[in-house]
Amino acid sequence: MIKRESYMKKIRPFINSDLVKVLTGIRRCGKSVMLDLIKQELLQQGVTPQQLISYNFENMSFARLCNAQALHDEIISQTQALTGKIYLFFDEIQEVKDWEKCINSLRIELNCDIYITGSNAKLLSGELATYLAGRYVEFVIYPFSFSEFIELYNTIQPNTSEADCFKKYLHFGGMPYLAALQYNKAACKQYLQDVYTSVELKDIVRRNNIRDVDMLERILTYITANIGTIFSANVLSKYLKSEGRSMATETIINYVKACTDAFLFYQVKRQDIQGKKLLAINEKYYVADHGIREAVFGGNMKDINLILENIVYLELLRRGYKVSIGKLDTKEIDFICEKQDKKIYIQVTYLLAAEETIQREFGFYNEITDNYPKYVLSLDEFDMSRNGIIHKNIRDFLTDASI
């Protein structure tokens, strides 16, 4: 089991605080493992196993506790004879009806430290905001980064070069359980297809009471095929109409929102660099894990430019950047990345194989006159930095946590 220290560094300062720790992210991205890592750390600090109480609500053994009152009564009963602080772990808490009422009550009644996970962004909206406003802290968990993939893959295939690891990463993506399958292609493809189906049915269809599943699948296919390209609900509506189906633009927007709530896709807004404001139209979407795209849709190598963008975008999120697309007249910068007082610009391309490509990728920065770092990322092995613009190999960028 990888320690995932980058997440533990963020979570550790909040251990033993009275804030509810909320871990969110796409189904099977490693949230349960994070709970196990937190438990390990607590045990090392001298907490006894009896003080750790855990529930996984995807386990049918806990089906009887899937409403707030039943869960509350169970925990009160279990903790009556215990002394000292109690540590409560609730995995996939959204399966419990009115769970937020239970969590808030326990937080008030008990001397406890609470950790919850969920596979839907609505975990932090609606009733939760009402009951726990200002009393929780969220950590978004993502599939494995390239650095984590290298660490894990080398436990299976020792001494694999970084370049060969990256080829595997391009194909498999970063879903943690693939290591248990020894990265067998057929088995991994089946597993990732099942993950996709599970997200679709449990976290999108069931949670949003979607009746037209066929239409949802068409929308999923369209976005998956067109990651990293400008998205318009109107254009998608016309596309569906050309296939003999029709759907109101507003309904399409609601379906897409359900997909982002399930962490299957991430929306990236466009920013007018000159006006320094976010634009309300023509955003882009990236998939939570490019390995899922390969298993379900295929074509990752054919769409290598988009996949590399997807990989870089997710890495920027892991590093805590707020990311937008830069618009400057008719030109676009792939990513404007901001974090506290830090800001960087990033262009991503496959290879700088021709002078025309070099001029295009570096030329995007000609009209940006500020002094923030500007990067061009590609898979070229030679440093092509020029005019103060930094060129970096994508693999080096992904393994350089200082950026």
Side-chain angles (χ1 to χ4, degrees):
M1 181 165 60
I2 288 183
K3 295 298 184 183
R4 307 205 80 174
E5 182 60 22
S6 61
Y7 294 109
M8 287 304 301
K9 282 181 181 177
K10 297 175 184 177
I11 296 169
R12 199 171 282 122
F14 296 95
I15 292 176
N16 284 315
S17 76
D18 61 355
L19 295 174
V20 177
K21 274 64 72 177
V22 182
L23 280 61
T24 56
I26 189 172
R27 189 174 290 269
R28 303 187 201 175
C29 69
K31 300 186 296 296
S32 300
V33 171
M34 289 307 307
L35 293 186
D36 289 339
L37 290 172
I38 295 167
K39 292 174 196 174
Q40 285 183 12
E41 186 138 328
L42 289 169
L43 292 171
Q44 290 168 4
Q45 292 175 6
V47 174
T48 66
Q50 291 75 25
Q51 291 173 270
L52 308 179
I53 300 176
S54 303
Y55 300 87
N56 184 336
F57 294 105
E58 290 204 310
N59 186 331
M60 283 298 293
S61 300
F62 299 121
R64 62 187 175 82
L65 302 177
C66 284
N67 70 75
Q69 190 65 57
L71 179 58
H72 171 272
D73 294 347
E74 170 77 10
I75 293 169
I76 295 299
S77 174
Q78 276 204 45
T79 58
Q80 279 181 342
L82 298 177
T83 58
K85 187 180 282 286
I86 306 303
Y87 297 85
L88 301 173
F89 298 86
F90 303 104
D91 208 352
E92 300 296 352
I93 190 70
Q94 75 274 352
E95 300 299 328
V96 178
K97 181 175 171 38
D98 296 327
W99 62 268
E100 60 281 345
K101 297 178 183 178
C102 173
I103 296 298
N104 191 51
S105 182
L106 294 172
R107 189 186 61 79
I108 295 168
E109 293 178 69
L110 299 176
N111 176 19
C112 63
D113 191 12
I114 301 175
Y115 301 81
I116 63 178
T117 79
S119 300
N120 198 286
K122 288 184 179 177
L123 203 65
L124 297 180
S125 63
E127 290 300 309
L128 176 57
T130 301
Y131 284 92
L132 291 176
R135 299 187 183 96
Y136 66 83
V137 58
E138 180 193 14
F139 305 94
V140 181
I141 309 300
Y142 302 97
F144 283 156
S145 67
F146 178 50
S147 292
E148 290 174 318
F149 182 88
I150 292 173
E151 182 182 346
L152 190 60
Y153 193 79
N154 270 286
T155 65
I156 298 167
Q157 296 291 337
N159 303 316
T160 304
S161 70
E162 187 176 282
D164 285 340
C165 277
F166 191 68
K167 292 176 185 176
K168 299 294 184 181
Y169 188 62
L170 283 171
H171 180 84
F172 289 111
M175 295 303 275
Y177 189 74
L178 300 190
L181 303 175
Q182 300 289 300
Y183 291 101
N184 174 277
K185 283 191 176 181
C188 289
K189 181 175 182 178
Q190 180 64 54
Y191 173 78
L192 292 173
Q193 288 172 340
D194 289 345
V195 171
Y196 178 85
T197 300
S198 181
V199 171
E200 178 188 347
L201 295 179
K202 291 185 178 181
D203 299 320
I204 302 175
V205 173
R206 189 179 74 183
R207 193 148 301 282
N208 296 277
N209 297 316
I210 290 175
R211 296 180 180 178
D212 195 342
V213 177
D214 176 69
M215 184 63 80
L216 172 68
E217 289 179 345
R218 289 169 186 262
I219 292 171
L220 287 170
T221 299
Y222 181 89
I223 297 176
T224 302
N226 293 282
I227 57 166
T229 59
I230 294 297
F231 174 87
S232 164
N234 287 326
V235 171
L236 179 51
S237 179
K238 292 176 183 176
Y239 164 77
L240 293 170
K241 193 171 183 179
S242 72
E243 289 202 333
R245 299 295 303 269
S246 62
M247 176 173 273
T249 301
E250 187 65 30
T251 305
I252 291 174
I253 292 171
N254 290 337
Y255 276 29
V256 174
K257 178 65 165 56
C259 296
T260 58
D261 282 344
F263 298 101
L264 181 58
F265 301 119
Y266 287 89
Q267 182 194 73
V268 192
K269 291 188 176 295
R270 299 163 79 221
Q271 179 182 153
D272 186 322
I273 295 176
Q274 291 176 325
K276 297 183 179 179
K277 63 179 181 180
L278 290 177
L279 304 174
I281 59 171
N282 294 338
E283 62 273 7
K284 292 183 180 182
Y285 289 87
Y286 292 96
V287 67
D289 180 72
H290 57 281
I292 292 178
R293 184 186 190 270
E294 175 64 26
V296 174
F297 181 77
N300 275 8
M301 294 311 297
K302 178 174 68 70
D303 299 324
I304 185 65
N305 268 321
L306 299 179
I307 298 305
L308 293 174
E309 271 187 40
N310 204 113
I311 290 171
V312 170
Y313 170 71
L314 264 294
E315 182 62 27
L316 291 166
L317 293 187
R318 290 186 191 95
R319 296 181 187 184
Y321 282 103
K322 181 181 178 182
V323 184
S324 57
I325 301 153
K327 179 182 180 298
L328 188 62
D329 296 324
T330 59
K331 297 178 180 178
E332 279 194 352
I333 304 296
D334 287 335
F335 301 124
I336 301 176
C337 320
E338 299 173 279
K339 179 171 59 174
Q340 298 163 352
D341 59 347
K342 187 174 182 179
K343 182 176 181 179
I344 60 175
Y345 298 94
I346 290 180
Q347 280 289 104
V348 183
T349 191
Y350 175 36
L351 290 172
L352 297 166
E355 186 61 30
E356 179 185 351
T357 306
I358 295 172
Q359 292 300 325
R360 182 184 70 241
E361 299 300 327
F362 284 87
F364 279 124
Y365 292 123
N366 288 341
E367 297 175 54
I368 301 178
T369 56
D370 63 38
N371 293 320
Y372 292 111
K374 301 169 180 66
Y375 290 88
V376 173
L377 307 180
S378 75
L379 286 180
D380 295 281
E381 299 294 341
F382 299 103
D383 187 346
M384 300 186 189
S385 301
R386 61 193 64 197
N387 302 324
I389 301 165
I390 306 163
H391 170 249
K392 204 168 182 69
N393 182 282
I394 290 174
R395 298 193 309 274
D396 294 338
F397 169 79
L398 294 174
T399 54
D400 183 357
S402 67
I403 298 176

